[in-house]
Amino acid sequence: MLSQRETNTAFLTHLSGFVSFVFPLGAILGPLVMWSVNKGRSEFVDENGLEAVNFNISYVLYVFILGALTFPFALGTFLNRFRHMNDFDNIHFDFDFSHGFNNLFGILSVGSIIGLIIFVRFVLTIVAAVKASRGETYKYPLTIKFIK
């Protein structure tokens, strides 16, 4: 039988991933600190903490890769403005996207995917926290097992 302290600790370990809204890399550091401090106290807390840490590392990796994929689109949109200019002495940065709609579409589509991943992370973290408060261990989908 699990104690109230164990379920509360597992619950807070999952929710500690939301520290990323306060400072960068908080999604990894919050669950990692909670898990490392409490992993020796209970197998239940250890399992939930391990799931939370691996999920948040995977999440940060996915968002980083998708963010890096937007860079060529953003650079292409910016540099496309210079491609159609003949007079380099009179450069104006008026951000006319009429020449780079395809690149702008790429930025918006990848940005939408990142937004969807952020929303899914939020929902999955809440689901995992609720299950942990009920005494269950939630296995996050699409999680890479960095720590075993």
Side-chain angles (χ1 to χ4, degrees):
M1 183 74 183
L2 295 172
S3 70
Q4 186 67 34
R5 180 183 171 135
E6 290 173 320
T7 56
N8 286 344
T9 303
F11 174 79
L12 291 174
T13 301
H14 287 289
L15 291 182
S16 66
F18 291 141
V19 174
S20 64
F21 294 121
V22 178
F23 65 93
L25 296 179
I28 296 171
L29 293 177
L32 185 63
V33 168
M34 286 288 293
W35 173 64
S36 62
V37 168
N38 297 303
K39 68 181 176 182
R41 297 182 183 169
S42 165
E43 184 178 329
F44 177 72
V45 173
D46 185 38
E47 289 175 5
N48 277 282
L50 195 58
E51 281 294 319
V53 169
N54 283 326
F55 171 71
N56 283 296
I57 292 172
S58 299
Y59 158 78
V60 168
L61 180 66
Y62 297 149
V63 170
F64 178 77
I65 289 170
L66 285 172
L69 288 175
T70 62
F71 183 73
F73 293 114
L75 187 63
T77 300
F78 182 73
L79 294 179
N80 201 20
R81 175 75 178 131
F82 293 113
R83 186 177 66 171
H84 297 285
M85 296 174 62
N86 293 330
D87 183 16
F88 287 105
D89 294 331
N90 194 9
I91 295 176
H92 300 287
F93 292 98
D94 55 352
F95 294 106
D96 179 19
F97 290 108
S98 62
H99 300 294
F101 181 74
N102 292 337
N103 291 331
L104 181 63
F105 180 74
I107 291 171
L108 293 177
S109 62
V110 174
S112 298
I113 293 170
I114 291 173
L116 181 65
I117 288 175
I118 291 170
F119 176 75
V120 168
R121 173 192 173 237
F122 182 79
V123 170
L124 290 177
T125 301
I126 297 295
V127 168
V130 168
K131 288 201 179 252
S133 71
R134 293 181 184 163
E136 303 172 34
T137 301
Y138 180 72
K139 302 290 184 191
Y140 289 98
L142 301 174
T143 301
I144 302 168
K145 302 292 182 195
F146 291 104
I147 302 173
K148 296 180 182 184

